[in-house]
Amino acid sequence: MNNVDTVSWVDLIATPSQLSRKGDRNYVTVRDKKVRQLHSALDRLSGDAFQLVHLPNRNKGRGKYEGFQLLHERGAPYGGGDNPDRYMVPSDQEHLPWLPAGLFLNGWIHLLEDTEIGFLLMLAWLHARFGAQPVFVASDIRLRQFGVGKDAYEAHRMLNRFGLVDVEEDPNRHLEDSRLTGYNEGTMPKLHRFELRREGFNEQAVPKIRSAIERRLR
């Protein structure tokens, strides 16, 4: 018998699914739908293209997904072959980028756009590299190393309105279309400086985003 107090992977899936009818008497529960979503994700992540999950019971008739294991985050090797290494939780001595738990616990992960999450990950890496201070990134670096184009870079505007990122903008940079005005010839314009506001993730995402959008529409 399963312990009702045990939290499973299925319990971590957020879905708008509802109880639905299948046939005359049978019903498909929300949990059934979550299980299908989890199995579909595991099938894809364990495929040759990603290799982020190992299914030791893949060839069994039942229990195919039992005991699945997370693999090293580098995924499938570029030159082909297998990813044999298991995922290891980083030690405290490793200077790795991290984002606050509130990103998940307070619902931000479900409401932010992909470009906004990408910008946050880039900013977290910059803080891990340069410390807790305002940081900047040149266009060639953000394109080559992070794959963050102009549209994704502009995600900082909404993140600032949500209270997740502090932005120190060049006073000579036009806010609407990034035009530069009034700077001296021969001098380089100042790049925007950004700082991750970790305390911002402590707030619930839904009311915070709704409030920011309503203020924007006034």
Side-chain angles (χ1 to χ4, degrees):
M1 179 179 295
N2 294 331
N3 188 339
V4 294
D5 295 325
T6 299
V7 177
S8 70
W9 285 89
V10 171
D11 297 318
L12 302 178
I13 297 177
T15 175
S17 298
Q18 299 178 351
L19 182 71
S20 60
R21 192 163 185 170
K22 182 181 179 181
D24 295 333
R25 298 182 178 179
N26 297 325
Y27 287 86
V28 180
T29 67
V30 173
R31 186 174 182 83
D32 291 335
K33 295 179 180 180
K34 286 186 175 184
V35 168
R36 285 206 302 265
Q37 292 177 26
L38 177 62
H39 289 174
S40 177
L42 291 174
D43 281 332
R44 187 173 185 187
L45 292 174
S46 63
D48 292 338
F50 296 101
Q51 296 188 37
L52 293 171
V53 169
H54 172 59
L55 300 178
N57 299 309
R58 178 189 294 274
N59 297 323
K60 291 186 176 180
R62 299 184 62 183
K64 170 184 175 180
Y65 304 99
E66 295 294 330
F68 70 85
Q69 301 166 341
L70 302 181
L71 297 179
H72 194 282
E73 62 266 27
R74 67 169 172 265
Y78 286 114
D82 297 327
N83 176 14
D85 298 326
R86 300 291 182 262
Y87 173 78
M88 300 292 292
V89 177
S91 67
D92 294 337
Q93 286 71 38
E94 296 181 76
H95 298 288
L96 297 174
W98 65 276
L99 289 170
L103 174 68
F104 300 92
L105 298 178
N106 292 322
W108 292 100
I109 192 68
H110 303 299
L111 298 178
L112 294 177
E113 299 286 345
D114 290 346
T115 53
E116 293 165 345
I117 294 175
F119 187 92
L120 289 174
L121 291 171
M122 178 182 71
L123 187 52
W125 187 94
L126 292 171
H127 279 315
R129 175 67 175 82
F130 299 106
Q133 59 180 328
V135 294
F136 65 90
V137 57
S139 59
D140 58 334
I141 299 297
R142 65 175 167 79
L143 282 170
R144 290 203 311 264
Q145 295 192 13
F146 301 103
V148 174
K150 182 179 179 180
D151 290 342
Y153 182 72
E154 291 300 310
H156 73 263
R157 301 192 185 282
M158 289 304 297
L159 293 171
N160 177 248
R161 296 187 185 110
F162 298 155
L164 302 180
V165 172
D166 282 334
V167 182
E168 179 185 337
E169 296 191 343
D170 183 349
N172 294 321
R173 189 185 297 271
H174 195 280
L175 295 181
E176 294 301 323
D177 54 14
S178 298
R179 288 188 294 109
L180 300 177
T181 60
Y183 63 94
N184 296 326
E185 186 176 356
T187 61
M188 292 296 294
K190 180 182 177 182
L191 295 173
H192 294 342
R193 264 66 174 175
F194 306 102
E195 188 170 1
L196 191 66
R197 294 190 70 252
R198 300 188 186 279
E199 63 273 18
F201 293 90
N202 294 333
E203 299 190 50
Q204 290 291 325
V206 172
K208 188 69 176 182
I209 291 179
R210 180 183 290 118
S211 176
I213 293 175
E214 289 175 350
R215 287 198 305 269
R216 183 65 175 170
L217 295 177
R218 289 173 187 169

